[in-house]
């Protein structure tokens, strides 16, 4: 199978922030004590802590704007990963958020970012990365945040509401625009 056969019709929604904005606003790593409340397994602790932080934030945003959200939403079978795929959070049934907190270096970025981008292009809804942590800034050979910016749309917790509003405003304006057929 050719790689181009896997790329779906969906394009990144282009509602995110720039690497410069990320550097100014990302959440830094919490203390070990704070994180240990969420998981005894150190591999999962920061991720579980981040899920909790974002779920609380998204709950407030959605309540204020009268939106709804679901967690761990089944996106169906992925022909890229050859398994079922899930979105961490889906807002209004239209925009998926993949939560990624990176405390240190990690394998997420290099090839996986491109594979995720191809997978997301086949999902039934738009999906973006929601990232935080200083790990995104410490890549030695590859600057993680610039690399991610080349392949995918992302935002962070400080700019989450802004990005969501931007997405739903774009969506609303697209629906209002009438399409006219022009005859020559």
């Amino acid at each position: 199978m050719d790689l181009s056969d896997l790329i779906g019709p969906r394009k990144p929604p282009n509602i995110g922030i720039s690497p410069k904005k990320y550097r100014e606003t990302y959440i830094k790593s919490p203390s070990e004590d704070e994180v240990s409340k969420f998981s005894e397994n150190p591999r999962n602790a920061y991720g579980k802590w981040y899920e909790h932080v974002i779920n609380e934030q998204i709950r407030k945003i959605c309540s204020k704007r009268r939106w709804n959200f679901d967690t761990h939403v089944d996106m169906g079978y992925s022909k890229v990963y050859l398994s079922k795929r899930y979105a961490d959070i889906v807002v209004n049934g239209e925009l998926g958020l993949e939560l990624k907190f990176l405390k240190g270096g990690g394998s997420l970025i290099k090839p996986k970012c491109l594979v995720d981008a191809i997978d997301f292009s086949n999902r039934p809804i738009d999906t973006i990365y929601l990232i935080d942590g200083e790990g995104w800034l410490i890549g030695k050979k590859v600057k993680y945040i610039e690399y991610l910016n080349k392949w995918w749309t992302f935002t962070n917790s400080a700019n989450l509401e802004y990005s969501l509003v931007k997405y739903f405003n774009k969506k609303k304006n697209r629906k209002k625009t009438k399409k006219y057929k022009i005859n020559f």
Side-chain angles (χ1 to χ4, degrees):
M1 180 181 283
D2 185 19
L3 183 66
S4 60
D5 293 339
L6 294 175
I7 298 171
R10 218 169 257 296
K11 303 283 183 255
N14 196 24
I15 57 163
I17 60 173
S18 68
K20 180 178 186 263
K21 189 72 167 169
Y22 178 82
R23 282 187 173 84
E24 296 167 356
T25 58
Y26 68 93
I27 290 180
K28 294 175 178 65
S29 293
S31 70
E32 300 270 337
D33 289 341
E34 188 176 349
V35 169
S36 66
K37 296 173 193 170
F38 293 91
S39 175
E40 292 177 10
N41 181 345
R43 280 183 55 97
N44 296 338
Y46 285 91
K48 295 287 183 194
W49 167 83
Y50 191 57
E51 282 178 24
H52 173 76
V53 168
I54 297 303
N55 280 330
E56 290 303 306
Q57 184 178 0
I58 202 89
R59 191 177 324 283
K60 289 175 186 168
I61 292 169
C62 288
S63 174
K64 179 170 90 175
R65 300 210 173 255
R66 295 191 180 122
W67 295 339
N68 58 51
F69 76 99
D70 294 303
T71 59
H72 198 69
V73 178
D74 183 351
M75 293 285 105
Y77 182 78
S78 167
K79 65 182 184 179
V80 178
Y81 283 102
L82 304 178
S83 63
K84 275 188 146 186
R85 296 301 291 165
Y86 296 86
D88 292 329
I89 295 175
V90 175
V91 180
N92 287 345
E94 297 178 42
L95 181 64
L97 304 173
E98 287 295 321
L99 279 55
K100 306 291 180 190
F101 186 85
L102 191 60
K103 178 182 181 270
S107 62
L108 172 72
I109 290 297
K110 298 181 182 172
K112 190 172 184 302
C113 181
L114 177 57
V115 174
D116 277 353
I118 292 170
D119 178 59
F120 291 173
S121 74
N122 286 284
R123 287 186 175 195
I125 61 170
D126 291 325
T127 307
I128 67 170
Y129 278 113
L130 176 58
I131 66 171
D132 276 293
E134 60 265 22
W136 297 95
L137 305 175
I138 63 174
K140 290 183 176 106
K141 290 183 182 176
V142 176
K143 291 187 176 175
Y144 293 164
I145 200 78
E146 278 79 9
Y147 186 90
L148 181 63
N149 192 47
K150 282 182 189 174
W151 295 108
W152 206 238
T153 296
F154 73 94
T155 192
N156 64 1
S157 56
N159 294 283
L160 176 57
E161 186 168 8
Y162 164 80
S163 297
L164 291 173
V165 168
K166 189 173 173 183
Y167 177 81
F168 289 113
N169 281 344
K170 274 185 166 185
K171 195 108 171 135
K172 189 169 60 175
N173 289 337
R174 252 184 280 142
K175 286 179 184 175
K176 285 182 180 177
T177 306
K178 289 184 180 180
K179 294 182 181 175
Y180 295 98
K181 186 175 179 183
I182 299 172
N183 295 319
F184 290 98

